[in-house]
Amino acid sequence: MRFVDSASIVVKAGKGGDGCLSFRREKYITDGGPDGGDGGDGGSVYFVGQKNLNTLSDFRFKRLFKAKNGENGSSNNKRGKSAKDLIIEMPLGVKVYDFDTKEIIGEITQHKKMLLVAKGGFHGIGNTRFKSSINRSPRKTTKGTLGDVRNIAIELNIMADVGLLGMPNAGKSSLIRKISAAKPKVESYPFTTLYPSLGMVSFANKNITVADIPGLILNASDGAGLGFEFLKHLLRTKFLLHVVDIMPNDNSNPAENYLIIEKELKKYSKELFNKPRLLVINKIDLINDENKTIKKFLKSIDYNDDYIAISALTGKNCKNLIIKLFEFIEKNG
Ligand SMILES: Nc1nc2c(ncn2[C@@H]2O[C@H](COP(=O)(O)OP(=O)(O)OP(=O)(O)O)[C@@H](O)[C@H]2O)c(=O)[nH]1
Ligand SMILES: [Mg+2]
């Protein structure tokens, strides 16, 4: 399964409008001079940096982006209207390649900074402008030129401060929904999340980004399931949350589930395994004797480190989790 941190799109700039062939026709003037106007320029396609975007999910379904053509010139020396440029917003950090030649076209690094990706066609010339002392009635015009058409590949290294790990159905997307404004899909069955998404978590005027990814399963490190491809992105995060469902509805054992994920991490990459991470025990609203159940769970995985017990559904302890995240990120840059 592919992750939406790359996309390929087609950008099509507009054609220039044609120059017009026309002669003045006025009463009593038999040989009116030329009055064909120039065409207008075709619209170009630009990418522009937009700091509030952070994924390429807009390009998952919409692939063709077309700027308008310039209008043709007309009589009375009327110039055709130039078309507006088409401006497409991109998250910062996007690398832009020519899909066919693989050449890099540019990188979107700054908010509002524009990158030309397809130049609009140049306008055609009307016959008026071919008039000279030796040719007073030129029939010559030029056509507008075609706009660039380009296959473009865009790539975004998803930079998340925090990555969520866990079995399918553990409640990762629910957690993102609770602590950020992002609204990834949540369902009661596994493999709901097919593409990663980012949530921006704000606290005391600061922001951190948290990445929600498809759940990992046994043998994920060998490529099983959906989550595998995203593991490499987690290498760039600073902190991981391992979300464990304390009351799995498939009656699996939370301790076994926890150990499977830890094992997959280790198998996939030492570096990832050694990344700081916090154990998040989720769905505590479903258990009666919270202390006892959690204690038993921790004992069975032989865990003495830091953890937090939350409910991503009711929001219990989620504020404390946010505080912990910010503390960690502050301390570790
Ligand atoms: N009772 C209870 N249910 C929860 C809690 N958190 C999540 N759920 C439920 O668990 C199910 C799975 O939640 P998701 O957030 O979709 O889980 P996920 O880890 O993103 O799952 P995948 O995307 O499939 O990997 C949904 O039915 C949620 O409503 C919780 O704290 N308490
Ligand atoms: Mg999910």
Side-chain angles (χ1 to χ4, degrees), residues 173 185 192-193 212:
S173 302
K185 196 168 147 201
T192 304
T193 302
D212 176 25

Side-chain angles (χ1 to χ4, degrees), residues 206-225:
K206 293 201 177 106
N207 294 317
I208 53 180
T209 45
V210 180
D212 176 25
I213 67 160
L216 299 179
I217 55 171
L218 184 64
N219 295 326
S221 58
D222 301 326

Side-chain angles (χ1 to χ4, degrees), residues 12-86:
K12 228 175 149 181
K15 175 187 170 299
D18 296 337
C20 170
L21 173 65
S22 165
F23 293 94
R24 261 199 311 276
R25 258 187 252 213
E26 288 167 37
K27 260 189 185 168
Y28 313 119
I29 302 178
T30 43
D31 182 19
D35 75 346
D38 296 348
D41 292 327
S44 298
V45 183
Y46 288 89
F47 291 167
V48 65
Q50 168 51 258
K51 63 178 175 10
N52 295 327
L53 290 177
N54 49 27
T55 71
L56 297 178
S57 53
D58 289 353
F59 305 101
R60 202 183 301 157
F61 302 113
K62 182 163 165 58
R63 290 283 171 73
L64 176 63
F65 294 85
K66 260 167 93 173
K68 294 228 159 76
N69 295 335
E71 282 178 4
N72 293 337
S74 49
S75 46
N76 264 328
N77 284 321
K78 205 162 154 231
R79 206 191 149 148
K81 249 204 206 141
S82 290
K84 268 204 189 136
D85 294 328
L86 177 66

